[in-house]
Amino acid sequence: MNITIVTIGKLKEKYLIQGINEYLKRLTAYAKVDMIELADEKAPENLSESEMVQVKQKEGERILSKISDDTHVIALAIEGKMKSSEQLAADLENLATYGKSKIAFVIGGSLGLSKDVMKRANDTLSFSKMTFPHQLMRLILVEQVYRAFRIIRNEPYHK
């Protein structure tokens, strides 16, 4: 399985980078995982509604340029579907069973994802109704993907 994680913004925090790299290393036994970091759109602190839409649109164009037509896209969004770790594992296993070997998880910038990215998504995923920094979501996501593969293979880790 080929998994791509497409994210907006550069990760600077060393502790997050170390955690993500640890899970990416562990994941090599199960899948090929690529992390694509795209530039966030520079914007002033106080944006109008139309300026927010423009920022998300430009970031969305960058995201969509990295996703091929044959990729199953899962957008991370607060309004997405909440799933248990077991449900995520079952989803990944079903995708593999039915020939979807390319999966992209998409994490937007601080303003979220554009309508075009949400339209392109085959599925949505929410880890909570709470708002998390999008940088932290990268770590949470790679850990959950690792956990999913351990669940699929009935290997110890998930309790």
mmCIF file of all heavy atoms in Angstrom, residues 1-6 24 27 30-36 71-72 92 100-105 141-142 145-146 149:
data_model
loop_
_atom_site.group_PDB
_atom_site.id
_atom_site.type_symbol
_atom_site.label_atom_id
_atom_site.label_comp_id
_atom_site.label_asym_id
_atom_site.label_seq_id
_atom_site.Cartn_x
_atom_site.Cartn_y
_atom_site.Cartn_z
ATOM 1 N N MET A 1 0.836 -1.179 0.000
ATOM 2 C CA MET A 1 0.000 0.000 0.000
ATOM 3 C C MET A 1 0.883 1.246 0.000
ATOM 4 O O MET A 1 1.900 1.289 0.678
ATOM 5 C CB MET A 1 -0.902 -0.022 1.245
ATOM 6 C CG MET A 1 -1.881 1.126 1.285
ATOM 7 S SD MET A 1 -3.091 0.996 2.613
ATOM 8 C CE MET A 1 -4.260 -0.117 1.867
ATOM 9 N N ASN A 2 0.479 2.222 -0.782
ATOM 10 C CA ASN A 2 1.182 3.505 -0.835
ATOM 11 C C ASN A 2 0.322 4.572 -0.175
ATOM 12 O O ASN A 2 -0.782 4.846 -0.644
ATOM 13 C CB ASN A 2 1.460 3.909 -2.287
ATOM 14 C CG ASN A 2 2.432 2.976 -2.955
ATOM 15 O OD1 ASN A 2 3.530 2.783 -2.478
ATOM 16 N ND2 ASN A 2 2.015 2.367 -4.050
ATOM 17 N N ILE A 3 0.845 5.150 0.880
ATOM 18 C CA ILE A 3 0.120 6.179 1.615
ATOM 19 C C ILE A 3 0.881 7.489 1.484
ATOM 20 O O ILE A 3 2.085 7.537 1.712
ATOM 21 C CB ILE A 3 -0.044 5.798 3.094
ATOM 22 C CG1 ILE A 3 -0.895 4.527 3.211
ATOM 23 C CG2 ILE A 3 -0.668 6.951 3.893
ATOM 24 C CD1 ILE A 3 -0.991 3.969 4.608
ATOM 25 N N THR A 4 0.146 8.524 1.115
ATOM 26 C CA THR A 4 0.722 9.859 1.055
ATOM 27 C C THR A 4 -0.030 10.726 2.051
ATOM 28 O O THR A 4 -1.264 10.681 2.115
ATOM 29 C CB THR A 4 0.575 10.448 -0.362
ATOM 30 O OG1 THR A 4 1.177 9.555 -1.302
ATOM 31 C CG2 THR A 4 1.251 11.808 -0.459
ATOM 32 N N ILE A 5 0.718 11.482 2.819
ATOM 33 C CA ILE A 5 0.112 12.450 3.724
ATOM 34 C C ILE A 5 0.469 13.821 3.181
ATOM 35 O O ILE A 5 1.642 14.184 3.129
ATOM 36 C CB ILE A 5 0.621 12.251 5.169
ATOM 37 C CG1 ILE A 5 0.254 10.844 5.657
ATOM 38 C CG2 ILE A 5 0.034 13.334 6.096
ATOM 39 C CD1 ILE A 5 0.901 10.434 6.961
ATOM 40 N N VAL A 6 -0.556 14.531 2.710
ATOM 41 C CA VAL A 6 -0.360 15.846 2.118
ATOM 42 C C VAL A 6 -0.771 16.873 3.167
ATOM 43 O O VAL A 6 -1.902 16.846 3.664
ATOM 44 C CB VAL A 6 -1.196 16.033 0.841
ATOM 45 C CG1 VAL A 6 -0.915 17.380 0.196
ATOM 46 C CG2 VAL A 6 -0.932 14.906 -0.154
ATOM 47 N N LEU A 24 6.919 6.906 11.169
ATOM 48 C CA LEU A 24 7.199 6.642 9.752
ATOM 49 C C LEU A 24 8.177 5.479 9.606
ATOM 50 O O LEU A 24 8.026 4.640 8.712
ATOM 51 C CB LEU A 24 7.744 7.905 9.074
ATOM 52 C CG LEU A 24 6.745 9.041 8.862
ATOM 53 C CD1 LEU A 24 7.450 10.265 8.285
ATOM 54 C CD2 LEU A 24 5.590 8.619 7.966
ATOM 55 N N LEU A 27 6.327 2.297 10.249
ATOM 56 C CA LEU A 27 5.388 1.993 9.174
ATOM 57 C C LEU A 27 6.037 1.347 7.951
ATOM 58 O O LEU A 27 5.341 0.744 7.138
ATOM 59 C CB LEU A 27 4.652 3.269 8.743
ATOM 60 C CG LEU A 27 3.429 3.626 9.583
ATOM 61 C CD1 LEU A 27 3.016 5.076 9.347
ATOM 62 C CD2 LEU A 27 2.278 2.685 9.274
ATOM 63 N N TYR A 30 4.970 -2.031 6.832
ATOM 64 C CA TYR A 30 3.596 -2.243 6.382
ATOM 65 C C TYR A 30 3.233 -1.540 5.091
ATOM 66 O O TYR A 30 2.371 -2.006 4.346
ATOM 67 C CB TYR A 30 2.622 -1.768 7.476
ATOM 68 C CG TYR A 30 2.897 -2.390 8.814
ATOM 69 C CD1 TYR A 30 3.563 -1.673 9.799
ATOM 70 C CD2 TYR A 30 2.505 -3.692 9.099
ATOM 71 C CE1 TYR A 30 3.822 -2.232 11.036
ATOM 72 C CE2 TYR A 30 2.767 -4.261 10.329
ATOM 73 C CZ TYR A 30 3.426 -3.530 11.297
ATOM 74 O OH TYR A 30 3.689 -4.094 12.512
ATOM 75 N N ALA A 31 3.815 -0.384 4.856
ATOM 76 C CA ALA A 31 3.414 0.419 3.703
ATOM 77 C C ALA A 31 4.521 1.408 3.356
ATOM 78 O O ALA A 31 5.393 1.699 4.174
ATOM 79 C CB ALA A 31 2.129 1.189 4.028
ATOM 80 N N LYS A 32 4.436 1.912 2.140
ATOM 81 C CA LYS A 32 5.314 3.009 1.737
ATOM 82 C C LYS A 32 4.560 4.287 2.073
ATOM 83 O O LYS A 32 3.443 4.493 1.611
ATOM 84 C CB LYS A 32 5.584 2.923 0.238
ATOM 85 C CG LYS A 32 6.505 4.007 -0.286
ATOM 86 C CD LYS A 32 6.703 3.849 -1.790
ATOM 87 C CE LYS A 32 7.658 4.865 -2.342
ATOM 88 N NZ LYS A 32 7.215 6.249 -2.251
ATOM 89 N N VAL A 33 5.160 5.118 2.920
ATOM 90 C CA VAL A 33 4.489 6.342 3.359
ATOM 91 C C VAL A 33 5.344 7.548 2.984
ATOM 92 O O VAL A 33 6.526 7.603 3.307
ATOM 93 C CB VAL A 33 4.242 6.338 4.886
ATOM 94 C CG1 VAL A 33 3.498 7.596 5.310
ATOM 95 C CG2 VAL A 33 3.466 5.096 5.313
ATOM 96 N N ASP A 34 4.714 8.480 2.276
ATOM 97 C CA ASP A 34 5.378 9.735 1.907
ATOM 98 C C ASP A 34 4.657 10.884 2.585
ATOM 99 O O ASP A 34 3.423 10.900 2.648
ATOM 100 C CB ASP A 34 5.337 9.958 0.392
ATOM 101 C CG ASP A 34 6.198 8.976 -0.357
ATOM 102 O OD1 ASP A 34 7.337 8.748 0.064
ATOM 103 O OD2 ASP A 34 5.722 8.438 -1.378
ATOM 104 N N MET A 35 5.433 11.843 3.057
ATOM 105 C CA MET A 35 4.882 13.056 3.661
ATOM 106 C C MET A 35 5.211 14.207 2.721
ATOM 107 O O MET A 35 6.379 14.436 2.408
ATOM 108 C CB MET A 35 5.516 13.278 5.028
ATOM 109 C CG MET A 35 4.978 14.442 5.795
ATOM 110 S SD MET A 35 3.559 14.112 6.841
ATOM 111 C CE MET A 35 4.156 12.922 7.995
ATOM 112 N N ILE A 36 4.190 14.886 2.250
ATOM 113 C CA ILE A 36 4.386 16.038 1.365
ATOM 114 C C ILE A 36 3.954 17.297 2.112
ATOM 115 O O ILE A 36 2.777 17.434 2.463
ATOM 116 C CB ILE A 36 3.580 15.900 0.064
ATOM 117 C CG1 ILE A 36 4.023 14.659 -0.716
ATOM 118 C CG2 ILE A 36 3.714 17.156 -0.795
ATOM 119 C CD1 ILE A 36 3.186 14.372 -1.950
ATOM 120 N N THR A 71 -6.017 7.912 -6.801
ATOM 121 C CA THR A 71 -5.760 7.913 -5.368
ATOM 122 C C THR A 71 -7.060 8.064 -4.590
ATOM 123 O O THR A 71 -7.895 8.893 -4.919
ATOM 124 C CB THR A 71 -4.796 9.065 -4.996
ATOM 125 O OG1 THR A 71 -3.560 8.869 -5.693
ATOM 126 C CG2 THR A 71 -4.520 9.111 -3.509
ATOM 127 N N HIS A 72 -7.209 7.253 -3.561
ATOM 128 C CA HIS A 72 -8.345 7.359 -2.645
ATOM 129 C C HIS A 72 -7.983 8.431 -1.616
ATOM 130 O O HIS A 72 -7.001 8.293 -0.900
ATOM 131 C CB HIS A 72 -8.602 6.015 -1.956
ATOM 132 C CG HIS A 72 -9.818 6.016 -1.093
ATOM 133 N ND1 HIS A 72 -11.059 5.707 -1.570
ATOM 134 C CD2 HIS A 72 -9.974 6.299 0.225
ATOM 135 C CE1 HIS A 72 -11.934 5.795 -0.588
ATOM 136 N NE2 HIS A 72 -11.304 6.158 0.506
ATOM 137 N N LEU A 92 -8.920 0.734 5.983
ATOM 138 C CA LEU A 92 -7.664 0.557 5.234
ATOM 139 C C LEU A 92 -7.570 -0.850 4.663
ATOM 140 O O LEU A 92 -7.146 -1.042 3.521
ATOM 141 C CB LEU A 92 -6.461 0.866 6.125
ATOM 142 C CG LEU A 92 -6.299 2.329 6.553
ATOM 143 C CD1 LEU A 92 -5.096 2.492 7.479
ATOM 144 C CD2 LEU A 92 -6.175 3.250 5.356
ATOM 145 N N LYS A 100 -7.533 -0.600 -3.941
ATOM 146 C CA LYS A 100 -7.140 0.805 -3.760
ATOM 147 C C LYS A 100 -5.801 0.825 -3.025
ATOM 148 O O LYS A 100 -5.741 0.848 -1.802
ATOM 149 C CB LYS A 100 -8.198 1.571 -2.947
ATOM 150 C CG LYS A 100 -9.511 1.711 -3.651
ATOM 151 C CD LYS A 100 -9.405 2.748 -4.734
ATOM 152 C CE LYS A 100 -10.748 2.997 -5.387
ATOM 153 N NZ LYS A 100 -10.661 3.951 -6.453
ATOM 154 N N SER A 101 -4.728 0.798 -3.791
ATOM 155 C CA SER A 101 -3.407 0.734 -3.164
ATOM 156 C C SER A 101 -2.800 2.105 -2.913
ATOM 157 O O SER A 101 -1.800 2.218 -2.224
ATOM 158 C CB SER A 101 -2.467 -0.102 -4.013
ATOM 159 O OG SER A 101 -2.316 0.498 -5.281
ATOM 160 N N LYS A 102 -3.402 3.155 -3.490
ATOM 161 C CA LYS A 102 -2.906 4.520 -3.264
ATOM 162 C C LYS A 102 -3.919 5.273 -2.416
ATOM 163 O O LYS A 102 -5.073 5.457 -2.824
ATOM 164 C CB LYS A 102 -2.734 5.266 -4.585
ATOM 165 C CG LYS A 102 -1.588 4.815 -5.436
ATOM 166 C CD LYS A 102 -1.539 5.719 -6.646
ATOM 167 C CE LYS A 102 -0.408 5.388 -7.576
ATOM 168 N NZ LYS A 102 -0.440 6.277 -8.758
ATOM 169 N N ILE A 103 -3.457 5.709 -1.256
ATOM 170 C CA ILE A 103 -4.315 6.456 -0.336
ATOM 171 C C ILE A 103 -3.603 7.743 0.030
ATOM 172 O O ILE A 103 -2.409 7.747 0.321
ATOM 173 C CB ILE A 103 -4.606 5.641 0.937
ATOM 174 C CG1 ILE A 103 -5.333 4.350 0.569
ATOM 175 C CG2 ILE A 103 -5.414 6.452 1.944
ATOM 176 C CD1 ILE A 103 -5.462 3.378 1.704
ATOM 177 N N ALA A 104 -4.347 8.836 0.029
ATOM 178 C CA ALA A 104 -3.800 10.121 0.470
ATOM 179 C C ALA A 104 -4.648 10.648 1.612
ATOM 180 O O ALA A 104 -5.871 10.729 1.503
ATOM 181 C CB ALA A 104 -3.775 11.131 -0.667
ATOM 182 N N PHE A 105 -3.995 10.941 2.720
ATOM 183 C CA PHE A 105 -4.631 11.667 3.818
ATOM 184 C C PHE A 105 -4.261 13.126 3.619
ATOM 185 O O PHE A 105 -3.106 13.441 3.343
ATOM 186 C CB PHE A 105 -4.096 11.186 5.167
ATOM 187 C CG PHE A 105 -4.561 9.810 5.555
ATOM 188 C CD1 PHE A 105 -3.779 8.698 5.267
ATOM 189 C CD2 PHE A 105 -5.757 9.624 6.230
ATOM 190 C CE1 PHE A 105 -4.189 7.426 5.637
ATOM 191 C CE2 PHE A 105 -6.178 8.356 6.598
ATOM 192 C CZ PHE A 105 -5.398 7.250 6.302
ATOM 193 N N LEU A 141 -2.069 11.383 13.278
ATOM 194 C CA LEU A 141 -2.428 10.589 12.107
ATOM 195 C C LEU A 141 -1.451 9.444 11.867
ATOM 196 O O LEU A 141 -1.876 8.303 11.681
ATOM 197 C CB LEU A 141 -2.512 11.478 10.863
ATOM 198 C CG LEU A 141 -2.774 10.739 9.548
ATOM 199 C CD1 LEU A 141 -4.119 10.026 9.562
ATOM 200 C CD2 LEU A 141 -2.686 11.709 8.376
ATOM 201 N N VAL A 142 -0.149 9.713 11.862
ATOM 202 C CA VAL A 142 0.802 8.623 11.586
ATOM 203 C C VAL A 142 0.747 7.558 12.674
ATOM 204 O O VAL A 142 0.901 6.378 12.394
ATOM 205 C CB VAL A 142 2.250 9.107 11.328
ATOM 206 C CG1 VAL A 142 2.351 9.893 10.046
ATOM 207 C CG2 VAL A 142 2.829 9.863 12.481
ATOM 208 N N VAL A 145 -2.380 5.479 11.858
ATOM 209 C CA VAL A 145 -2.149 4.617 10.698
ATOM 210 C C VAL A 145 -1.285 3.427 11.110
ATOM 211 O O VAL A 145 -1.568 2.279 10.734
ATOM 212 C CB VAL A 145 -1.519 5.414 9.525
ATOM 213 C CG1 VAL A 145 -1.068 4.483 8.407
ATOM 214 C CG2 VAL A 145 -2.510 6.447 8.994
ATOM 215 N N TYR A 146 -0.261 3.676 11.909
ATOM 216 C CA TYR A 146 0.573 2.585 12.428
ATOM 217 C C TYR A 146 -0.282 1.629 13.254
ATOM 218 O O TYR A 146 -0.217 0.404 13.075
ATOM 219 C CB TYR A 146 1.722 3.156 13.270
ATOM 220 C CG TYR A 146 2.527 2.098 13.986
ATOM 221 C CD1 TYR A 146 3.372 1.248 13.280
ATOM 222 C CD2 TYR A 146 2.440 1.957 15.366
ATOM 223 C CE1 TYR A 146 4.102 0.275 13.925
ATOM 224 C CE2 TYR A 146 3.177 0.977 16.017
ATOM 225 C CZ TYR A 146 4.005 0.136 15.298
ATOM 226 O OH TYR A 146 4.723 -0.843 15.959
ATOM 227 N N PHE A 149 -2.438 -0.677 11.072
ATOM 228 C CA PHE A 149 -1.734 -1.825 10.495
ATOM 229 C C PHE A 149 -1.452 -2.899 11.539
ATOM 230 O O PHE A 149 -1.528 -4.094 11.233
ATOM 231 C CB PHE A 149 -0.440 -1.384 9.803
ATOM 232 C CG PHE A 149 -0.674 -0.815 8.436
ATOM 233 C CD1 PHE A 149 -0.546 0.543 8.202
ATOM 234 C CD2 PHE A 149 -1.046 -1.630 7.373
ATOM 235 C CE1 PHE A 149 -0.780 1.079 6.945
ATOM 236 C CE2 PHE A 149 -1.277 -1.109 6.109
ATOM 237 C CZ PHE A 149 -1.149 0.249 5.902
#
